[in-house]
Amino acid sequence: MNYIENRIQRELNILNETGGLRCIPNIGHDGKYISTLIDNVQTNMINLSSNDYLGLATDCNIQDKFMESFDKDLFSFSSSSSRLLTGNFSIYDATESLIAKTFGKEAALIFGSGYQMNTGILPAITDKKTLILADKLVHASIIDGIKLSNAECIRYKHQDYEQIENIVKKYYNKTNAIVIVTESIFSMDGDVTNLQRLVKIKKSYPSVMLYVDEAHAIGVRGHKGLGIAEEQNCTDDIDFLCGTLGKALASVGAYIVCSKSIREYLINKMRSFIFTTALPPINIAWTKFVFNNIEEWNDKRERLTLLSEKIIDKIRSKNIECISGSHIIPLMSGSNEKAISLSDIMQREGFYVLPIRHPTVPRGKERLRFSLNASITESEIEKLCSTIEIII
Ligand SMILES: *Cc1c(COP(=O)(O)O)cnc(C)c1O
């Protein structure tokens, strides 16, 4: 074996021995249910690990409506090229205009995925004379975007607004620009960022800009479903307002809403936009359909809030700390082993909820993570509450 083959084998062995080996689960899908083999019996469970927060991805009625409304001849399963070559279709422009208008912003741009968005925008907009100030817990795609950029970077303690202010005070004279980067709902604890606090800092320092990833909030929060920025009334104040289309919006890809010049600049400088095949027009048509209807799904958003409050209350009633302010809810277990055994019990009770282990989270912060969705029924949420009651 050569050096690389050797290293691959050695590291796989280590992962295997330490219980850290990842594998792609063998699962079946049936609407909001997942099935896997438990003790050799095919078992159906409610999927509490998906990002389909509004239940749109499993709603056949909505998909039928879309299929009825669209002209099959117009749409293709491949764009066959980058947007900048021949991969642009009129449906792209129509969808981006609609997204921009829905947010009341000048412009929008669609990307192949959230990963491509975050790894592409940050290196494009920053340089050596820029400081990126990023939350300690931002998503891997943002961390990779920072690594690909030439900017200086400081990671601040999770949602520590005083620390942000102190760093800005210290650096705003020594650097040309500061970009504060955060998510609006964090994926591990489901806690919500105070965007208004960040806007206040931005307004005191003209060289500060805000970059917010609403991956877990778009569709779910705000009266129109436009995320935490809408809920906290600061859509206009966020320079790079980003989100993904593959979670609550049940499509694929990602978007930024921003000024016209930022959009134009990204088209010219963002490598993960330029050097990749554009998403198929059919996906863009579906995204457009979803944005056309997003404001109508308030009943789903309210339902999700109600379900989330029930689970958070249940966990807190057992004296377990839960800082979630959303539909993403951790149940702290304290160790990998405990997280795995809790997940095992949950699955036997009919709930597909997965353990989040070290090294994804620090030691001592291992947990189960519930990702709720609006299609969970009354009897299902009652059973979920009583199962939590039993296992704690
Ligand atoms: C899921 C997620 C992404 C990645 O989006 P994809 O479209 O799945 O690539 C980026 N940022 C955050 C915060 C996410 O949760």
Side-chain angles (χ1 to χ4, degrees):
M1 283 204 288
N2 70 26
Y3 171 76
I4 290 179
E5 289 167 329
N6 235 319
R7 189 165 60 85
I8 288 174
Q9 210 46 60
R10 197 176 61 240
E11 289 187 12
L12 282 176
N13 288 343
I14 291 171
L15 285 172
N16 202 9
E17 283 157 16
T18 55
L21 190 69
R22 294 174 196 261
C23 63
I24 299 176
N26 198 346
I27 47 177
H29 289 267
D30 178 10
K32 65 177 178 181
Y33 301 96
I34 284 273
S35 63
T36 67
L37 281 182
I38 298 184
D39 301 335
N40 273 327
V41 182
Q42 198 70 28
T43 310
N44 257 334
M45 293 162 272
I46 297 169
N47 187 354
L48 297 181
S49 294
S50 141
N51 303 320
D52 181 24
Y53 305 130
L54 296 181
L56 297 179
T58 59
D59 189 326
C60 300
N61 290 334
I62 291 174
Q63 283 160 30
D64 285 347
K65 256 195 206 159
F66 166 69
M67 295 306 274
E68 281 161 20
S69 75
F70 101 133
D71 180 351
K72 291 182 183 60
D73 296 338
L74 277 175
F75 299 110
S76 129
F77 291 107
S78 177
S79 71
S80 307
S81 171
S82 160
R83 280 288 286 289
L84 289 160
L85 299 173
T86 65
N88 197 31
F89 291 76
S90 58
I91 189 72
Y92 262 98
D93 300 304
T95 306
E96 287 173 346
S97 300
L98 173 67
I99 295 176
K101 194 174 128 229
T102 308
F103 279 91
K105 294 277 243 187
E106 274 183 22
L109 190 62
I110 292 176
F111 312 109
S113 73
Y115 187 82
Q116 288 179 21
M117 169 180 80
N118 286 326
T119 51
I121 297 177
L122 287 167
I125 61 167
T126 60
D127 64 13
K128 274 190 197 134
K129 292 176 177 164
T130 317
L131 173 66
I132 295 176
L133 252 179
D135 190 288
K136 194 84 192 159
L137 298 186
V138 289
H139 191 260
S141 57
I142 296 176
I143 296 170
D144 290 0
I146 294 169
K147 281 188 188 159
L148 285 168
S149 78
N150 291 319
E152 298 289 325
C153 176
I154 299 176
R155 306 279 299 277
Y156 58 86
K157 205 163 142 259
H158 180 53
Q159 293 177 343
D160 188 333
Y161 309 102
E162 274 175 31
Q163 194 192 359
I164 299 172
E165 232 166 338
N166 288 335
I167 298 171
V168 169
K169 255 183 220 154
K170 190 167 162 199
Y171 284 89
Y172 84 100
N173 261 335
K174 299 182 195 152
T175 147
N176 288 4
I178 299 177
V179 185
I180 300 177
V181 184
T182 186
E183 289 164 40
S184 61
I185 294 179
F186 278 82
S187 64
M188 287 299 151
D189 288 298
D191 48 345
V192 178
T193 302
N194 188 342
L195 297 179
Q196 283 184 341
R197 270 300 296 268
L198 301 181
V199 168
K200 224 172 125 195
I201 297 172
K202 173 191 144 121
K203 287 191 169 161
S204 317
Y205 299 90
S207 61
V208 171
M209 294 181 96
L210 299 181
Y211 183 117
V212 178
D213 183 344
E214 296 245 43
H216 297 285
I218 181 66
V220 170
R221 299 292 284 256
H223 198 65
K224 298 179 177 175
L226 301 181
I228 298 295
E230 186 211 335
E231 189 176 291
Q232 296 185 9
N233 200 19
C234 52
T235 306
D236 291 347
D237 299 307
I238 294 162
D239 308 279
F240 308 93
L241 184 53
C242 302
T244 62
L245 301 167
K247 290 179 171 129
L249 300 188
S251 187
V252 64
Y255 65 87
I256 183 173
V257 282
C258 56
S259 69
K260 275 188 186 154
S261 23
I262 289 175
R263 179 179 189 271
E264 192 176 7
Y265 187 77
L266 292 175
I267 291 170
N268 281 276
K269 297 284 184 179
M270 179 176 163
R271 298 174 65 81
S272 62
F273 175 82
I274 300 169
F275 298 106
T276 192
T277 302
L279 287 175
I282 188 165
N283 293 113
I284 303 301
W286 167 246
T287 294
K288 180 164 177 275
F289 180 86
V290 170
F291 264 97
N292 260 325
N293 291 284
I294 194 167
E295 296 183 21
E296 284 168 32
W297 292 316
N298 251 331
D299 52 337
K300 295 182 192 294
R301 288 187 273 278
E302 280 164 16
R303 172 90 191 137
L304 187 58
T305 304
L306 197 87
L307 295 168
S308 308
E309 281 167 358
K310 277 198 174 171
I311 298 301
I312 293 170
D313 286 350
K314 176 88 267 163
I315 291 172
R316 288 185 185 150
S317 77
K318 306 301 281 183
N319 280 328
I320 295 178
E321 196 190 2
C322 180
I323 59 172
S324 169
S326 71
H327 54 291
I328 299 170
I329 305 169
L331 174 60
M332 304 313 258
S333 66
S335 71
N336 276 354
E337 293 70 25
K338 188 79 198 293
I340 292 166
S341 83
L342 287 178
S343 166
D344 198 55
I345 300 172
M346 276 291 168
Q347 294 191 27
R348 285 166 196 278
E349 293 295 325
F351 300 105
Y352 193 67
V353 46
L354 296 175
I356 308 285
R357 289 175 276 185
H358 174 81
T360 304
V361 288
R363 277 200 201 289
K365 299 273 186 187
E366 298 87 348
R367 65 196 66 190
L368 283 188
R369 181 180 55 177
F370 298 94
S371 292
L372 301 184
N373 72 74
S375 68
I376 297 170
T377 65
E378 218 42 47
S379 62
E380 288 165 345
I381 197 76
E382 290 311 324
K383 184 169 178 214
L384 181 55
C385 280
S386 55
T387 308
I388 292 172
E389 176 75 35
I390 294 164
I391 63 173
I392 306 179

